[in-house]
């Protein structure tokens, strides 16, 4: 099996939050010669710098020989994934069981998250300014967490409800201990004592924490032929990781190359670490300042003249649910990298429809470099849809298209991709960075 797929499986097994991703991405970048942009007053062709946004989004740049205002080649993807966030006051005890209360993040089918091992990854920020990284309940620990469900024997009423209703959001709480004492609240206190011992935290520290409940355990090859990967958070780390490898291996940039890995896509790209912000413009301004001037028009031109692959996973054709797909216009597992001219829903609403001329340019690059690609819609017209981050880049006037890897069971705790597509994604991204 290829190094890329093996490294990818390791990456998504170890990095299950946007913060963990950024930390690992920076470590990998530094190993490959990238440095924090803060260390540079000026930048020259060949320099490689990164810029982190609150440790949850990161931009990597390789400075090209061409002037910045001629535009960049930008690989963009997101590193947040659907999950359950612990609430600000998460810990409670009820009728002898101690729970962590959660609020789900992103589009999930709630029933998929019950009765399986769950881990907690995140940080606790203390008043003294220290940040404590937390990983609880993973494979090599001695324990894990889980959300319970009603036994079938007494689930008659539950089974009459629709799939959207039968696991209410408030029922997605993690079982984390029992009260084995006589006194009410003692189970909860016991859990707090362990947290204090392990992480030096008090209950109040939950107020300033970001703790994310995610499926426990590692990603794996799937199937006897090992031609697929099953694992958590492949949306969109499969595009993020392959984009990262592509830029880390890139040399001799003509146009400045960028790999932009962002947060909050799953809840609408909001906030300071999401694409619906000045994050990209701010980063490019820092670059502009160090390569000549950060004059507004120069920054605007740099953005307007850029090419971007806005990479996000696409819905793979599901042979067991063919009525949802227009076969000719769907992406298949193992069919290569996917380009979506448009996304959106109900008549392309919310889509950034890529220009035909730009697609023609990409077709040529892909063909010249032996990249297998497929053009696809998410599914049949009017069966659903969704937005992506392409429109936030298009806002600057740049050429941008949605692209990415096809995923089966997208947004499920364990998603399925094809190893061939993963390799093809990287090949596509490498070729894209050389577009002139
Ligand atoms: Mn998603
Ligand atoms: Mn996505």
């Amino acid at each position: 099996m290829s190094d890329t797929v093996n490294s990818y499986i390791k990456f998504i097994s170890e990095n299950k939050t946007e913060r963990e991703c950024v930390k690992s991405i920076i470590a990998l970048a530094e190993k490959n010669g990238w440095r924090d942009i803060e260390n540079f007053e000026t930048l020259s062709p060949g320099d490689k710098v990164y810029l982190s946004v609150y440790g949850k989004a990161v931009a990597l740049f390789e400075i090209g020989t061409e002037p910045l205002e001629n535009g960049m080649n930008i690989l963009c993807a997101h590193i947040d994934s659907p999950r359950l966030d612990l609430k600000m006051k998460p810990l409670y005890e009820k009728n002898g069981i101690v729970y962590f209360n959660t609020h789900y993040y992103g589009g999930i089918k709630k029933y998929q998250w019950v009765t399986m091992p769950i881990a907690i990854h995140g940080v606790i920020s203390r008043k003294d300014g220290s940040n404590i990284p937390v990983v609880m309940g993973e494979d090599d620990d001695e324990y894990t967490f889980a959300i319970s469900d009603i036994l079938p024997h007494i689930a008659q009423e539950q089974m009459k409800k629709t799939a959207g209703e039968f696991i209410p959001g408030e029922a997605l709480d993690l079982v984390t201990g029992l009260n084995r004492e006589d006194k009410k609240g003692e189970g909860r206190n016991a859990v707090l004592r362990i947290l204090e011992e392990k992480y030096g935290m008090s209950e109040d520290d939950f107020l300033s924490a970001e703790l994310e409940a995610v499926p426990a355990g590692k990603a794996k090859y799937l199937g006897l032929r090992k031609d697929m990967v099953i694992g958590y958070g492949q949306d969109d780390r499969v595009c993020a990781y392959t984009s990262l490898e592509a830029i880390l291996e890139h040399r001799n940039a003509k146009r400045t190359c960028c790999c932009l890995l962002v947060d909050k896509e799953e809840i609408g790209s909001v906030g300071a670490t999401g694409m619906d912000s000045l994050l990209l413009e701010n980063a490019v301004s820092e670059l502009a300042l160090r390569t000549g001037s950060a004059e507004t028009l120069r920054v605007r031109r740099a953005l307007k003249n850029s090419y971007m692959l806005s990479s996000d996973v696409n819905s793979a054709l599901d042979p067991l649910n063919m009525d949802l797909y227009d076969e000719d216009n769907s992406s298949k597992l193992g069919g290569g990298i996917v380009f979506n001219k448009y996304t959106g829903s109900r008549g392309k609403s919310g889509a950034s429809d890529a220009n035909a001329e730009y697609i023609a340019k990409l077709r040529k690059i892909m063909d010249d470099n032996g990249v297998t690609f497929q053009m696809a819609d998410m599914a049949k017209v009017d069966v659903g849809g969704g937005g992506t981050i392409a429109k936030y880049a298009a806002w600057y006037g740049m050429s941008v298209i949605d692209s990415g890897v096809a995923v089966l069971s997208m947004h499920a705790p364990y998603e399925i991709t094809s190893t061939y597509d993963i390799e093809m994604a990287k090949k596509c991204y490498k070729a894209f960075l050389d577009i002139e």
Side-chain angles (χ1 to χ4, degrees):
M1 286 299 151
S2 88
D3 286 350
T4 294
V5 179
N6 285 333
S7 312
Y8 167 64
I9 288 177
K10 189 165 181 282
F11 184 86
I12 59 168
S13 298
E14 291 171 355
N15 300 288
K16 297 187 178 181
T17 69
E18 53 287 347
R19 283 179 190 266
E20 287 171 348
C21 285
V22 167
K23 211 172 159 188
S24 295
I25 289 162
I26 290 178
L28 282 167
E30 287 187 337
K31 223 170 106 186
N32 283 274
W34 259 260
R35 295 289 171 263
D36 192 327
I37 195 167
E38 295 299 326
N39 298 327
F40 293 80
E41 275 180 21
T42 60
L43 289 168
S44 329
D47 284 343
K48 296 174 169 188
V49 290
Y50 66 82
L51 188 153
S52 154
V53 186
Y54 293 112
K56 298 185 196 178
V58 63
L60 280 73
F61 294 99
E62 180 194 357
I63 312 299
T65 49
E66 274 188 34
L68 184 67
E69 53 271 32
N70 289 9
M72 299 164 285
N73 295 343
I74 307 173
L75 298 171
C76 188
H78 71 90
I79 47 177
D80 61 314
S81 295
R83 60 180 190 250
L84 313 172
D85 286 339
L86 266 61
K87 290 191 184 183
M88 291 78 71
K89 292 182 181 175
L91 197 61
Y92 73 96
E93 178 185 316
K94 194 174 181 185
N95 298 91
I97 297 187
V98 185
Y99 294 94
F100 280 125
N101 203 340
T102 74
H103 192 143
Y104 67 97
Y105 171 100
I108 61 167
K109 287 176 157 179
K110 299 182 192 87
Y111 66 83
Q112 292 177 334
W113 288 72
V114 299
T115 69
M116 64 170 193
I118 299 274
I120 297 173
H121 292 229
V123 293
I124 296 155
S125 295
R126 289 194 301 198
K127 281 200 286 185
D128 65 7
S130 58
N131 241 12
I132 313 164
V134 171
V135 179
M136 295 188 279
E138 277 297 350
D139 264 353
D140 43 3
D141 280 337
E142 297 158 335
Y143 65 94
T144 194
F145 304 94
I147 299 161
S148 64
D149 191 9
I150 303 169
L151 59 159
H153 314 66
I154 59 170
Q156 283 182 48
E157 285 309 311
Q158 184 197 32
M159 297 300 272
K160 283 182 205 158
K161 294 182 183 167
T162 65
E165 295 168 332
F166 72 76
I167 303 288
E170 279 297 350
L172 290 175
D173 291 349
L174 307 177
V175 174
T176 186
L178 296 178
N179 184 341
R180 290 173 278 135
E181 292 75 18
D182 288 336
K183 233 171 98 198
K184 205 170 159 232
E186 278 310 304
R188 188 177 174 284
N189 290 340
V191 168
L192 277 174
R193 278 196 299 276
I194 294 170
L195 289 172
E196 192 185 347
E197 255 169 54
K198 249 185 125 169
Y199 300 107
M201 69 175 288
S202 65
E203 184 167 16
D204 284 350
D205 290 330
F206 277 122
L207 296 175
S208 50
E210 285 174 6
L211 298 168
E212 306 178 6
V214 295
K218 294 182 166 67
K220 278 183 179 166
Y221 282 103
L222 177 70
L224 283 165
R225 300 180 68 188
K226 293 172 79 176
D227 44 8
M228 291 168 282
V229 172
I230 183 161
Y232 166 70
Q234 300 205 66
D235 174 4
D236 183 34
R237 291 168 194 147
V238 65
C239 299
Y241 183 78
T242 42
S243 293
L244 174 71
E245 275 207 350
I247 199 166
L248 292 184
E249 290 173 17
H250 193 259
R251 303 282 181 276
N252 306 321
K254 286 185 188 154
R255 286 161 67 84
T256 292
C257 293
C258 171
C259 176
L260 177 64
L261 304 173
V262 297
D263 180 29
K264 297 288 181 288
E265 192 278 341
E266 296 296 357
I267 57 168
S269 295
V270 292
T273 54
M275 270 300 271
D276 191 4
S277 75
L278 292 179
L279 163 162
L280 174 58
E281 189 177 324
N282 287 346
V284 173
S285 300
E286 294 295 339
L287 212 63
L289 180 71
R290 289 164 174 81
T291 53
S293 103
E295 185 204 337
T296 308
L297 186 59
R298 182 162 182 261
V299 173
R300 287 241 177 114
R301 283 182 177 154
L303 288 161
K304 179 181 78 71
N305 293 329
S306 287
Y307 299 119
M308 180 187 275
L309 287 184
S310 166
S311 287
D312 204 344
V313 294
N314 193 55
S315 153
L317 184 109
D318 178 358
L320 302 182
N321 291 285
M322 287 301 282
D323 51 328
L324 297 174
Y325 296 86
D326 167 7
E327 197 178 338
D328 286 344
N329 289 286
S330 291
S331 58
K332 295 167 187 69
L333 275 189
I337 182 97
V338 184
F339 291 115
N340 310 95
K341 186 176 187 309
Y342 49 84
T343 58
S345 52
R346 295 174 306 282
K348 300 188 182 182
S349 180
S352 158
D353 205 327
N355 287 326
E357 294 86 343
Y358 181 47
I359 298 176
K361 194 178 177 75
L362 290 172
R363 280 175 57 208
K364 176 158 170 48
I365 302 286
M366 296 306 131
D367 287 346
D368 289 351
N369 287 276
V371 178
T372 314
F373 69 92
Q374 38 186 344
M375 299 285 301
D377 251 348
M378 187 182 242
K380 265 187 187 163
V381 174
D382 281 345
V383 301
T388 65
I389 53 191
K391 61 184 173 191
Y392 305 109
W395 193 73
Y396 291 106
M398 73 175 71
S399 298
V400 55
I401 187 168
D402 285 292
S403 63
V405 172
V407 173
L408 201 56
S409 312
M410 191 197 295
H411 280 210
Y414 298 97
E415 301 169 310
I416 297 169
T417 55
S418 131
T419 57
Y420 178 77
D421 296 342
I422 294 168
E423 287 174 43
M424 213 38 76
K426 182 178 166 187
K427 199 170 178 183
C428 160
Y429 298 147
K430 285 183 90 164
F432 175 83
L433 289 177
D434 284 326
I435 289 191
E436 290 179 14

Coordinates of all heavy atoms in Angstrom, one line a residue, residues 78 80-82 234-237 265-266 311-314 387-388 410-411, ligand 2:
H78 N -11.2 21.8 4.5 CA -11.5 22.1 6.0 C -11.1 20.9 6.9 O -11.0 19.8 6.4 CB -12.9 22.5 6.2 CG -13.9 21.4 6.0 ND1 -14.4 20.6 7.0 CD2 -14.6 21.0 4.9 CE1 -15.3 19.8 6.6 NE2 -15.5 20.0 5.3
D80 N -12.3 20.7 10.3 CA -13.3 20.4 11.3 C -14.2 19.3 10.8 O -14.4 19.1 9.6 CB -14.1 21.6 11.7 CG -14.9 22.2 10.5 OD1 -14.4 22.3 9.4 OD2 -16.1 22.5 10.7
S81 N -14.8 18.5 11.7 CA -15.7 17.4 11.3 C -16.8 17.3 12.3 O -16.7 17.8 13.4 CB -14.9 16.1 11.3 OG -13.9 16.1 10.4
P82 N -17.9 16.7 11.8 CA -19.1 16.6 12.7 C -18.7 15.8 13.9 O -17.9 14.9 13.9 CB -20.1 15.8 11.8 CG -19.7 16.0 10.4 CD -18.2 16.2 10.4
Q234 N -13.1 11.8 7.8 CA -12.5 11.9 6.4 C -13.0 13.1 5.7 O -12.3 13.6 4.8 CB -12.8 10.6 5.7 CG -12.2 9.4 6.4 CD -11.9 8.2 5.4 OE1 -11.1 8.3 4.6 NE2 -12.7 7.1 5.6
D235 N -14.2 13.5 6.0 CA -14.8 14.8 5.6 C -14.2 15.8 6.6 O -14.7 15.9 7.7 CB -16.3 14.8 5.6 CG -16.9 16.1 5.3 OD1 -16.2 17.1 5.0 OD2 -18.2 16.2 5.4
D236 N -13.2 16.6 6.3 CA -12.7 16.8 5.0 C -11.2 16.6 5.1 O -10.4 17.1 4.3 CB -13.0 18.1 4.5 CG -12.6 18.4 3.1 OD1 -12.5 17.5 2.3 OD2 -12.2 19.6 2.8
R237 N -10.8 15.8 6.1 CA -9.3 15.6 6.3 C -8.7 14.8 5.1 O -7.5 14.9 4.9 CB -9.0 14.9 7.6 CG -9.4 15.9 8.7 CD -9.5 15.3 10.1 NE -10.1 16.3 11.0 CZ -10.9 16.0 12.0 NH1 -11.1 14.7 12.3 NH2 -11.5 17.0 12.7
E265 N -16.3 24.7 8.8 CA -17.1 24.5 7.6 C -18.4 23.8 7.9 O -19.4 24.1 7.3 CB -16.3 23.7 6.5 CG -16.9 23.7 5.1 CD -18.0 22.7 4.9 OE1 -18.1 21.7 5.7 OE2 -18.8 22.8 4.0
E266 N -18.3 22.9 8.8 CA -19.5 22.1 9.1 C -20.7 22.8 9.8 O -21.8 22.3 9.9 CB -19.1 20.9 10.0 CG -18.2 19.9 9.3 CD -18.7 19.2 8.0 OE1 -19.9 19.4 7.7 OE2 -18.0 18.5 7.4
S311 N -11.5 22.2 -1.9 CA -11.7 20.8 -1.8 C -12.6 20.4 -0.7 O -12.4 20.8 0.5 CB -10.3 20.1 -1.7 OG -9.7 20.1 -2.9
D312 N -13.6 19.6 -1.0 CA -14.4 19.0 0.1 C -14.9 17.7 -0.5 O -15.0 17.5 -1.7 CB -15.6 20.0 0.4 CG -16.1 19.7 1.8 OD1 -15.8 18.7 2.4 OD2 -16.8 20.6 2.3
V313 N -15.2 16.8 0.4 CA -15.6 15.5 -0.1 C -17.0 15.5 -0.8 O -17.8 16.5 -0.6 CB -15.7 14.5 1.1 CG1 -14.4 14.3 1.7 CG2 -16.7 15.0 2.2
N314 N -17.2 14.6 -1.7 CA -18.4 14.5 -2.4 C -19.1 13.2 -2.1 O -18.5 12.2 -1.7 CB -18.2 14.6 -4.0 CG -19.4 14.8 -4.7 OD1 -20.1 15.8 -4.5 ND2 -19.7 14.0 -5.7
G387 N -23.9 23.5 0.9 CA -23.0 24.5 0.5 C -21.5 24.1 0.8 O -21.3 23.2 1.5
T388 N -20.6 24.9 0.2 CA -19.2 24.6 0.5 C -18.5 26.0 0.7 O -19.2 27.0 0.7 CB -18.5 23.9 -0.7 OG1 -18.5 24.7 -1.8 CG2 -19.2 22.6 -1.0
M410 N -21.0 9.6 4.2 CA -20.5 10.9 4.6 C -21.2 11.3 5.9 O -22.4 11.1 6.0 CB -20.6 11.9 3.5 CG -19.9 13.2 3.8 SD -20.5 14.5 2.7 CE -20.0 13.9 1.1
H411 N -20.4 11.9 6.8 CA -20.9 12.4 8.1 C -21.3 11.4 9.1 O -21.8 11.7 10.1 CB -22.1 13.4 7.9 CG -21.7 14.8 7.5 ND1 -22.3 15.9 7.9 CD2 -20.6 15.2 6.8 CE1 -21.7 17.0 7.4 NE2 -20.7 16.6 6.7
Ligands
LIG2 MN1 -16.9 18.9 4.1

